[in-house]
Amino acid sequence: MGRDRKPPVIQRQSSRRKAATGWSCSGAILLRISPTDFGDGPRRRITGSHTLNTPATTTTATKATPTLADRIDQNVFNAIYSRALVYNTCWEDPAVDRMALNLTPDDTLLVITSAGCNVLDYALTGPRRIHAVDANPRQNALLELKIAGIRRLNHADFFAVFGHGYHPEFREIYRDALREELSPSALAFWDRRAAWFGNPNGSFYFHGLSGIVARLFQTYLKARPRLAASVRELFETSTLDDQRHVYDTRVQPLIWTPSVNWTLSRQLTMSMLGVPHPQRKEVQAQHAHGVAGFVRESIEYVFRQLPLSTNYFWSVYVRGRYSEQCCPEYLKRENFAALKAGLVDRIELHTSTVTDFLRGGEEPISRFVLLDHMDWMSSYYPEALEEEWLAILSRATANARMIFRSAHAAPTYLDRIELGATRTPLRDHLEFHPELARELSLLDRVHTYAGFHIADVRA
């Protein structure tokens, strides 16, 4: 099978082990997770070390008082995520990120892991080191499996596993080549889920929480064959004009039914997609037609303004697989070879909160990819968000740049946060680049965030 032996994946954990529960940092996820396990395998506790209301971090922001509906939504959200892999693929466009970050060989990055696709994408630029940090151990387990595949498989096998989401010999590949590369926690997770890659009638991309939503959409399309044919035709167009025509005449009249709008407006649907209720409420407050209206506007921009021929984000959930022409960069043959040749060894994994990771080391960080987790923190744990920003600034180099996304085009927490004993406004520490962010957001092939933010640490 062309497998070769390379050094094992090293999973580094936060050395700060305290009795609090942790915050998960994957994409939109930032929930209180219980000290849970990976099934029947060895248990490990995921801890946080947020000490709230200390003199240096007491906030002037008022903590939101959740309503009964909010508490119910949050309990559902926590229950869903207590043992789940949330993201089976990243839902942020790394091509846009690369333009915003302007990465160089001298950079050291902190990246929230999510599904690991973008960590591998940034590694292709050859930075000094990438710290992949996530408090959800399942997300790090997925990146570990990808790294193991890069080190031990040939490209054909690797693409079958992570491109098609199916390999007929995956159980044998996993047993003979991948298991010995994994940490005990990742082993405990994947030993129970090898079947995710071995179903000839399915795909890995129909597993995990986001994959369940994709599978439900596939079921919906089977019940509506005219719409299914129209969607297939849309993703087979070769020009933007053809794409617009198919969407306007074949897809748009069929897809936006009252039942679809109702489903998109439910918190359960949003939770399955990794959107906690504070983010949903932000979207509702900004858009006249609520969440369904925002989703429709986002999808119509993507399908009418951006070519689908390279839009692997949306196509994988329609097709259940990537093609060699439409896939993340790490799956392409030449990039796979570059990662195997050594670039993948620059990635270090940390199952930890962002704050704990930053407090546990001294290495300066020049680039931060923070996804959108601060939306949730700002709603219910503003003190912890202030602690995180203090930790970020304490490790940031003089020229550090950070990018993050938000459900709000202008998140109010950026104006509320005050840091340290002097209560210095966060904005005094950062220089934002709103024009660059707006320009790049127009190129974003996902286009599901209202806000994209680029900021440098002020000298």
Side-chain angles (χ1 to χ4, degrees), residues 287-346:
H287 203 283
H289 299 288
V291 174
F294 175 79
V295 172
R296 176 171 178 170
E297 187 175 283
S298 298
I299 287 177
E300 290 194 336
Y301 181 86
V302 169
F303 289 178
R304 299 190 81 259
Q305 303 297 331
L306 301 174
L308 288 176
S309 59
T310 60
N311 197 324
Y312 61 82
F313 305 94
W314 292 91
S315 67
V316 72
Y317 286 140
V318 170
R319 295 169 172 157
R321 60 177 57 197
Y322 299 113
S323 69
E324 293 196 16
Q325 294 73 40
C326 185
C327 63
E329 291 297 317
Y330 77 91
L331 285 169
K332 296 179 179 178
R333 185 179 299 275
E334 64 276 14
N335 293 334
F336 171 82
L339 290 165
K340 182 186 278 287
L343 291 179
V344 76
D345 299 324
R346 304 185 187 190

Side-chain angles (χ1 to χ4, degrees), residues 94-113:
V96 167
D97 293 357
R98 282 205 207 184
M99 289 185 278
L101 293 168
N102 192 24
L103 297 171
T104 73
D106 295 326
D107 282 316
T108 297
L109 287 75
L110 182 159
V111 181
I112 294 178
T113 306

